[in-house]
Structure formats: C-alpha cells, structure tokens
Amino acid sequence: EADIYQTPRYLVIGTGKKITLECSQTMGHDKMYWYQQDPGMELHLIHYSYGVNSTEKGDLSSESTVSRIRTEHFPLTLESARPSHTSQYLCASSEGGFTGELFFGEGSRLTVL
Amino acid sequence: TQLLEQSPQFLSIQEGENLTVYCNSSSVFSSLQWYRQEPGEGPVLLVTVVTGGEVKKLKRLTFQFGDARKDSSLHITAAQPGDTGLYLCAGANGYKLSFGAGTTVTVRA
C-alpha cells in the first residue's frame, strides 16, 4: 500500500485567493511529481523534483510553484487562483528512475469560482 | 495531439462479459505501464511490460505489448463490478513518462 497523502481532498475558493496543496510521502522516495488531470485528457506533468532543493517545471506550463525543503514534503502553491486553475491535481512519488512505478496520492480537486 | 491514444474512451459492459482496451502510438517506448484509477482515488500500477511481444497475465487481466513496442492492449475476461475504473496507459521514452487520456470502464452487475 502506497503511503502518499494529499490535503485537502476538495477545495472550493474564490478568484484571487492563494492556495497551497499539500503532499507528503513516507516511503523515502527521492523523486516526486505533480500532475494535472482533467476529464478526457491525458495526465499532464506540471512539476517534478529530483530530491531536496531540486525542482523542475514539467511539460505543461503552469502558474503554480513548488518547493522541496524536505524529502517527504512537496507542496504546490498558487499565488492567485483563477477559474482556469480548476482541475484535479495528483501528487506522485517514485524510487529509481523517472520511468519507474509511480505511487499516487488520492488527489486534490480544486474549484475556483 | 496526444502521444498515446487510448480507445475506446468509454466502455460499459455487463458482469461476466469480456473487454479489450487499446493504447496506440506512433512512438517506440522502452516500456509501458498500465494503471487503474478508481473513483476518488489516485491511479495504481497494474503492470509494466518491457519486451516487444510480451504477454503478462494478472488473474483475469491479460496485457500485451506490441512487437514494435508502439502499442499495447489490456484484455479482461469475465469482468466484475470491481473492475470498474479508469484504465490509463503510460509509455516510457528516455527519461520521460507520457500518459494516455484513459478508458473509462463500467461493469454493471
């Protein structure tokens, strides 16, 4: 069973608010990821991290930012949310290479009004 | 344009029937993964196939990787309501993993 947790599971906020989506894993994995998932669309990688103090942008341009101060923690922040940010955000981690098995959290569903 | 095309997009069948979902690409992959995502959950890995022509069986699920490593299929025999979910394929190319949009499977009791 994967030990990766996301909070909040659901969030409804107004435009312009700052939000942080939390992601924590207890498996000691070096690599962590944030994906965006929308109905009928492929999962898009928006951020990834090799390890502590290492973050990179993914394939899909995103206005969000991430940080990796501790191995187990990889939060995603939106400084000023907009309706276009409404989506499901999935956090994942892996050991070994970037193309190995991904362990996903349950997701954070964000709705911006 | 999606790198990995999954078909059909939706599939609804009766319990006990068989089903096949497809994952196709014009790109060659070093390996291909299949995940299942149940409602309200994150995707969970079912299998990884790495060799062209490889067939892997997981109880009632049979996975096949095409000879040219560009496509894959997932066949479920005697589907059960517990097989309901979104089935995602993901192809590995170099250091990158690319996902398809998934097939939503509903098995009616």
Side-chain angles (χ1 to χ4, degrees), chain B residues 19-23 34-35 46 61-64 72-76 87:
Chain B
L19 68 98
T20 303
V21 298
Y22 300 93
C23 174
W34 282 94
Y35 290 82
L46 295 173
L61 278 61
T62 302
F63 303 86
Q64 186 161 9
S72 181
S73 64
L74 157 60
H75 182 80
I76 301 179
Y87 288 81

Side-chain angles (χ1 to χ4, degrees), chain B residues 9-31:
Chain B
Q9 188 176 357
F10 299 97
L11 190 55
S12 180
I13 60 170
Q14 201 68 34
E15 182 176 5
E17 294 181 338
N18 301 334
L19 68 98
T20 303
V21 298
Y22 300 93
C23 174
N24 296 304
S25 177
S26 57
S27 298
V28 176
F29 297 106
S30 55
S31 64

Side-chain angles (χ1 to χ4, degrees), chain A residues 76-88:
Chain A
L76 181 147
T77 298
L78 272 167
E79 290 293 332
S80 180
R82 294 205 301 270
S84 61
H85 296 136
T86 293
S87 187
Q88 164 96 317

Side-chain angles (χ1 to χ4, degrees), chain A residues 13-34:
Chain A
I13 59 167
T15 296
K17 299 291 186 185
K18 176 180 178 179
I19 66 109
T20 296
L21 304 180
E22 303 286 350
C23 177
S24 295
Q25 52 99 1
T26 60
M27 296 172 284
H29 289 167
D30 284 329
K31 295 177 180 63
M32 295 190 74
Y33 314 80
W34 277 103

Side-chain angles (χ1 to χ4, degrees), chain B residues 57-100:
Chain B
K57 292 194 175 186
L58 216 69
K59 296 183 181 178
R60 294 176 296 99
L61 278 61
T62 302
F63 303 86
Q64 186 161 9
F65 200 14
D67 291 340
R69 290 186 287 129
K70 294 182 180 180
D71 53 82
S72 181
S73 64
L74 157 60
H75 182 80
I76 301 179
T77 303
Q80 299 175 0
D83 296 324
T84 291
L86 176 66
Y87 288 81
L88 296 160
C89 66
N93 192 342
Y95 65 92
K96 186 177 170 179
L97 198 62
S98 299
F99 280 85

